[in-house]
Amino acid sequence: MAARIAMKNPIAEIDGDEMTRVLWALVKEKLILPYVDLKTEYYDVGLTNRDATGDAVTTESAHAISRLGVGVKCATITANNARKTEYNLKTLYPSPNATIRTILDGTVFRKPIVVSCITPSISTWKKPIVIARHAYGDLYKSAEMPIPGPGKVELVYTAADGSEKRTLVADIKGSGVVLGMHNLDESIKSFARSCFLYAINEKLPIWFSAKDTILKIYDGRFKELFDQIYETEFKDKCAAAGISYFYTLIDDAVARVVKGEGGFLWACKNYDGDVMSDMVASASGSLAMMTSVLVSPKGPVEYEAAHGTVQQHYYRWQKGEKTSTNPVALIFAWTGALAKRAELDNTPDLGNFAKKLEHAAMAAIEAGEMTADLARLAVPAPAKALDSWEYIDAVASRL
Ligand code: NAP
Ligand code: MG
């Protein structure tokens, strides 16, 4: 066998739970270790080890991504009361993804993996649409109040020196409801920086949408800060990467998205991103074909699958069944991380390997070798669906 590809620097490897943990080891064993002399710093963020370390391992793994610049993460259980009983946990730990995102101050980008035998519901889409969702504030950190009867509703800002500023929301005649929400300049700027870094890395044009015709101050601030970060920090870099940036109203963006052919990054405010990422995911095909990348505005990047731990498949696997769980998004998490490592370390062999592995994973599907979730959608339909082990062998045989 040929010599394995060397790595200069390690990546942070973050292991997880249930069926994705099973597939994680399998993908490494069959598709990566035979070809790459893999260097990782391993963190076991599986629920059992989170409990054993009082969740310290999650924080350590996030710092490792910061330090090493690249991380790859398996799906992890977000603990709830049912999991507390199932795993006999000392306490309910916060979502590892939220902990890591907070430490990296990062933005999540979701990108569908496009294969020729699965047609998106929107027939004009030829290339993936990547959604970036600003994950701070707006509706998700708001205060609301029922208004029982007539009265004045005002916004009041009390400065540190005690001085006040007020503005009338509404002079309510009957009964109704009221909402107050906020965002922070620093968070919006971090979001913009992460979006430009991702778009330059992926060579994708970037669209940012909001509703500044109506919310002249609120959405106006988003637009102003996005424009400012572009002009002062990224204009030359975007030009060098050959990508454009443009701002448009959210309703215009939606109209263009359903008529366009894809192939761009769509930067969305929090609520728009929540809704539009589900729309793009569902119109693109399968959740198991969606990757997720966390980009810190300071540069570090973490790659993972967008789906969860596929709990029900895991229980069936524990009973001895070879499940037909789709490992494609997990494979792409690894290839994304290896390609990023290759770019940072200037090791083209590793980058080429990542590309070849992605091609092999897609070529197998396009030749009719795929798991059950895809077999249901593919045209032409394959004669049979493969289990995860058979599919991974089909990929390995093409490498
Ligand atoms: P899920 O694991 O994404 O699975 C939901 C359903 O989607 C599955 O039952 C399966 O449908 C289908 N599916 C997802 N991934 C698939 C794959 N790779 N291959 C084939 N089918 C796939 O979501 P969940 O059941 O809501 O959550 C399970 C656990 O994952 C929870 O503990 C949750 O906290 C965690 N979670 C973690 C992350 C993360 O770490 N990024 C994200 C989301 C959820 P069928 O049953 O119809 O086959
Ligand atoms: Mg949603």
Side-chain angles (χ1 to χ4, degrees):
M1 191 168 139
R4 293 192 299 170
I5 297 162
M7 286 178 69
K8 262 191 207 162
N9 292 298
I11 57 184
E13 175 186 351
I14 299 161
D15 209 344
D17 289 300
E18 298 194 313
M19 202 60 214
T20 42
R21 187 181 180 101
V22 174
L23 295 177
W24 191 258
L26 191 67
V27 165
K28 268 174 67 178
E29 180 205 324
K30 298 265 181 151
L31 300 179
I32 297 174
L33 291 173
Y35 309 96
V36 179
D37 189 8
L38 191 65
K39 275 192 187 170
T40 71
E41 262 184 34
Y42 179 85
Y43 294 87
D44 182 359
V45 176
L47 192 48
T48 306
N49 196 45
R50 265 181 275 156
D51 199 38
T53 62
D55 209 24
V57 67
T58 309
T59 306
E60 283 164 21
S61 76
H63 290 301
I65 300 170
S66 282
R67 181 163 37 78
L68 301 173
V70 186
V72 60
K73 181 179 170 290
C74 183
T76 45
I77 292 169
T78 298
N80 56 19
N81 282 321
R83 300 302 201 159
K84 194 171 173 209
T85 313
E86 182 182 359
Y87 284 80
N88 194 17
L89 301 176
K90 290 184 221 124
T91 180
L92 279 187
Y93 301 99
S95 147
N97 284 14
T99 302
I100 295 170
R101 195 167 65 215
T102 304
I103 292 173
L104 294 180
D105 182 26
T107 294
V108 173
F109 298 80
R110 282 178 135 211
K111 177 182 179 182
I113 300 156
V114 175
V115 284
S116 63
C117 54
I118 293 172
T119 332
S121 315
I122 296 178
S123 58
T124 52
W125 289 1
K126 302 283 179 265
K127 298 181 216 159
I129 294 170
V130 183
I131 302 259
R133 172 180 171 188
H134 182 215
Y136 178 82
D138 298 356
L139 304 189
Y140 306 85
K141 257 194 185 338
S142 60
E144 39 180 357
M145 201 194 278
I147 304 296
K152 255 199 310 187
V153 177
E154 289 181 298
L155 285 179
V156 182
Y157 162 67
T158 313
D161 67 5
S163 62
E164 274 186 6
K165 244 170 115 171
R166 328 178 144 245
T167 187
L168 181 71
V169 175
D171 197 348
I172 292 183
K173 303 291 180 219
S175 55
V177 282
V178 66
L179 164 78
M181 61 185 203
H182 81 285
N183 223 297
L184 301 172
D185 289 354
E186 278 318 307
S187 173
I188 300 166
K189 287 193 211 167
S190 289
F191 175 56
R193 287 190 182 105
S194 295
C195 288
F196 287 114
L197 284 170
Y198 181 93
I200 290 166
N201 192 37
E202 300 271 320
K203 306 257 186 302
L204 287 176
I206 165 166
W207 300 12
F208 176 53
S209 58
K211 191 76 177 175
D212 68 312
T213 44
I214 302 298
L215 296 175
K216 290 186 170 58
I217 295 176
Y218 199 101
D219 281 21
R221 178 67 68 96
F222 275 80
K223 175 177 188 296
E224 184 187 319
L225 292 176
F226 236 89
D227 288 351
Q228 178 194 321
I229 296 291
Y230 172 69
E231 290 291 336
T232 57
E233 298 177 28
F234 290 99
K235 198 173 183 177
D236 297 344
K237 291 176 188 138
C238 285
I243 61 166
S244 55
Y245 157 65
F246 100 109
Y247 170 82
T248 188
L249 288 171
I250 178 73
D251 29 2
D252 177 53
V254 169
R256 286 169 187 256
V257 162
V258 292
K259 285 201 178 149
E261 63 165 29
F264 55 87
L265 166 65
W266 184 5
C268 291
K269 290 182 60 202
N270 209 345
Y271 173 75
D272 300 338
D274 182 351
V275 177
M276 293 307 160
S277 64
D278 286 340
M279 188 271 286
V280 169
S282 138
S284 303
S286 163
L287 184 58
M289 297 292 277
M290 186 68 77
T291 60
S292 174
V293 183
L294 177 73
V295 178
S296 158
K298 297 180 198 87
V301 186
E302 179 212 59
Y303 296 82
E304 67 167 336
H307 61 76
T309 59
V310 215
Q311 185 178 2
Q312 296 309 322
H313 291 214
Y314 179 62
Y315 296 145
R316 286 172 13 219
W317 176 82
Q318 282 185 318
K319 291 190 188 130
E321 182 185 332
K322 287 211 155 174
T323 59
S324 184
T325 317
N326 187 342
V328 171
L330 287 176
I331 294 172
F332 274 65
W334 275 100
T335 56
L338 293 176
K340 185 71 189 172
R341 185 75 278 167
E343 181 200 311
L344 295 176
D345 293 352
N346 195 17
T347 50
D349 283 357
L350 186 63
N352 287 335
F353 168 75
K355 269 206 200 82
K356 283 187 181 152
L357 177 48
E358 290 183 357
H359 287 154
M362 287 159 72
I365 296 168
E366 288 172 350
E369 298 182 283
M370 65 190 84
T371 48
D373 56 312
L374 298 182
R376 281 195 291 270
L377 305 169
V379 179
K384 70 168 190 122
L386 304 184
D387 66 42
S388 308
W389 290 259
E390 292 167 332
Y391 170 73
I392 286 175
D393 285 341
V395 177
S397 73
R398 285 175 169 79
L399 260 179

